[in-house]
Amino acid sequence: MPAQHAAAWKPEGRVPAQINRRTIAAGTIGTILEWYDFGVYAFLATVLARHYFPAGDSAVSLIATFGVFASGYLMRPVGAVLLGHVGDRFGRRPALIVAVSVMAAASTAIAVVPTYETIGLAAPVLLTALRLLQGVAVGGEYTGALVFLVEAAPTRRRALVAGAALAAGVVGVLLASGAAALVSNVLTADVFDDWGWRLLYAPAPLLGVVGVSLRRRLADSGVDEEVDARALPIVAVVRDHWPALLKVMGLTATNAVGNYTVFIYGATYLQTVAGLPETTALDINTATTAVLLVLILVFAWVADRIGRRPVMIFGAGGMVLCSYPLFILFGSGDPMLALLAQLGFAVLIGAMGGGAAATLCELFPRAVRYTGVSVGYGVTFGVLGGTAPLVATSLIDVTGDHLSPAFIMMLAAGISLLALCYTPETRDRVLD
């Protein structure tokens, strides 16, 4: 076993830094911005399809829109390598500052990109370029915050603190869903479609400024002084820690596909497939996202007490068994049944997320932790999560079966169960 890998298993470790509300706020604000922006983009998919990807077939326009959504996620591994290198070699704080700055700047720019009608082909090109830039920033944002907070947390509270980092992403989606519901209800349909949708990007610059300000005051958790600086973190991860990397990918699969199919693409699904009005779909999505926020913290608390593996087995196993029947309810066209279905998915996704968040960090030693978690998480979300809305939309278009997205969720959960077979319990592990 390589020396670096053995360090993650030793019984003694560094004393965790004192964690407080300011530390948690600084760590999570970038994640809120990240998920807010990606949530807004998905909720506006039908609007953006009309303005930036006009075509004779509405399905083709929607697929193109989600294709650009996916392109941002495919850049996550690039950002994971770049920001992971900064985080592991120069400290967590500078990497987190860069991530939130780039994300805020790109989100602000999207708000003012002219439409296809105004500047023609340059409109989708600019939108795609900004999404790619966001993807680079996202590659090291949530995972960097997760690593920073887990390293600062006491051993028996790591899952709960990690759950707070994951919950921050849900807060972002909740804010996006709530803002979309509010603006679409306040403005007339024509005004919202014309320019009102741009208002949803207004919080981006403010969150960016606040994020940079908070993170500049952080006490960095430091880097491993004993590590050979000539060895690139990504090389060390692939060469020496590939088993942990594969486990991170597998454990992340359920959340990647589940979150983006149910809570990001879900609002579009309820409108285009189930036939519910836009406001109803957004209201359902907002309510169930709020419940998911609470469930993540509850399951994280449970994971600190009984262990990570039982909680994750419940989440992934339940997803394999229940995805298909839940999608029958989700696509029924009945608002109440759709609400119950999305609540069912929230329980399973909350369990998997609450158990997995801390585990990802507990699988790597400090010297490569930022890179290892970011690359594993980024690749999975790029390949499976970011493409989930595109795959779901394409499957329905090709097969004509509105229940087909359930199968990609069952597949993802099966991958997580396989990874769990090789993942030990990490609740009592002391991080170096």
Side-chain angles (χ1 to χ4, degrees):
M1 181 181 294
Q4 298 101 318
H5 189 65
W9 296 77
K10 65 184 182 181
E12 299 88 20
R14 303 178 189 222
V15 177
Q18 182 67 35
I19 193 163
N20 51 43
R21 293 178 183 177
R22 175 176 288 183
T23 302
I24 294 175
T28 58
I29 190 167
T31 304
I32 293 174
L33 172 59
E34 168 197 335
W35 285 65
Y36 175 86
D37 177 84
F38 276 68
V40 163
Y41 186 94
F43 298 148
L44 293 175
T46 55
V47 175
L48 295 175
R50 290 192 295 271
H51 285 304
Y52 292 93
F53 305 96
D57 188 336
S58 60
V60 172
S61 296
L62 193 58
I63 290 173
T65 304
F66 280 125
V68 175
F69 179 88
S71 70
Y73 270 87
L74 293 176
M75 291 299 290
R76 288 185 76 138
V78 176
V81 173
L82 295 176
L83 292 172
H85 181 88
V86 174
D88 284 330
R89 286 293 176 266
F90 303 101
R92 312 321 192 196
R93 182 176 63 183
L96 290 173
I97 290 175
V98 171
V100 73
S101 300
V102 173
M103 188 70 187
S107 299
T108 303
I110 288 178
V112 296
V113 173
T115 64
Y116 186 93
E117 185 179 4
T118 304
I119 60 173
L121 187 60
V125 170
L126 282 173
L127 183 63
T128 303
L130 290 170
R131 292 291 300 172
L132 295 176
L133 186 60
Q134 284 181 322
V136 173
V138 166
E141 171 51 57
Y142 163 68
T143 48
L146 183 64
V147 166
F148 178 84
L149 291 174
V150 166
E151 289 177 343
T155 301
R156 286 304 178 91
R157 292 181 60 199
R158 283 202 303 254
L160 184 58
V161 172
L166 181 59
V170 181
V171 170
V173 176
L174 179 60
L175 291 175
S177 182
L182 175 63
V183 174
S184 64
N185 276 298
V186 170
L187 301 178
T188 64
D190 289 341
V191 171
F192 180 81
D193 185 78
D194 185 28
W195 60 266
W197 62 270
R198 296 183 186 272
L199 296 176
L200 298 179
Y201 284 97
L206 176 61
L207 287 173
V209 170
V210 174
V212 171
S213 177
L214 286 173
R215 289 179 172 182
R216 287 181 62 186
R217 303 174 189 176
L218 286 175
D220 206 322
S221 56
V223 296
D224 194 330
E225 300 294 343
E226 299 178 1
V227 174
D228 184 355
R230 293 172 299 177
L232 295 176
I234 183 59
V235 173
V237 167
V238 174
R239 181 189 62 204
D240 302 329
H241 306 285
W242 59 268
L245 183 64
L246 292 178
K247 292 171 188 174
V248 167
M249 292 179 181
L251 296 179
T252 304
T254 297
N255 272 5
V257 175
N259 270 306
Y260 285 93
T261 301
V262 176
F263 293 101
I264 299 298
Y265 169 66
T268 300
Y269 181 91
L270 290 177
Q271 295 174 60
T272 59
V273 176
L276 297 181
E278 181 179 46
T279 54
T280 302
L282 290 173
D283 288 343
I284 291 173
N285 206 69
T286 302
T288 53
T289 302
V291 174
L292 176 63
L293 171 63
V294 176
L295 288 171
I296 287 174
L297 296 176
V298 169
F299 281 113
W301 180 84
V302 173
D304 270 331
R305 276 145 186 81
I306 69 171
R308 284 68 160 124
R309 296 187 80 252
V311 176
M312 290 188 285
I313 290 172
F314 168 75
M319 192 69 76
V320 171
L321 296 175
C322 301
S323 287
Y324 193 82
L326 285 176
F327 250 98
I328 293 176
L329 302 180
F330 200 46
S332 65
D334 185 318
M336 185 56 66
L337 293 180
L339 175 63
L340 291 175
Q342 204 165 29
L343 286 173
F345 280 125
V347 171
L348 302 175
I349 293 171
M352 191 63 199
T359 306
L360 306 184
C361 300
E362 292 162 344
L363 292 172
F364 290 98
R366 172 181 291 270
V368 295
R369 185 172 293 132
Y370 200 130
T371 299
V373 175
S374 296
V375 171
Y377 187 92
V379 168
T380 306
F381 265 77
V383 175
L384 298 182
T387 60
L390 174 62
V391 172
T393 304
S394 300
L395 277 175
I396 293 172
D397 186 52
V398 171
T399 66
D401 181 5
H402 71 277
L403 301 179
S404 55
F407 295 110
I408 63 174
M409 296 182 65
M410 295 165 66
L411 176 61
I415 293 173
S416 293
L417 285 175
L418 179 62
L420 277 167
C421 292
Y422 298 94
T423 303
E425 179 57 61
T426 58
R427 181 184 65 152
D428 297 323
R429 184 171 301 170
V430 179
L431 301 182
D432 62 332

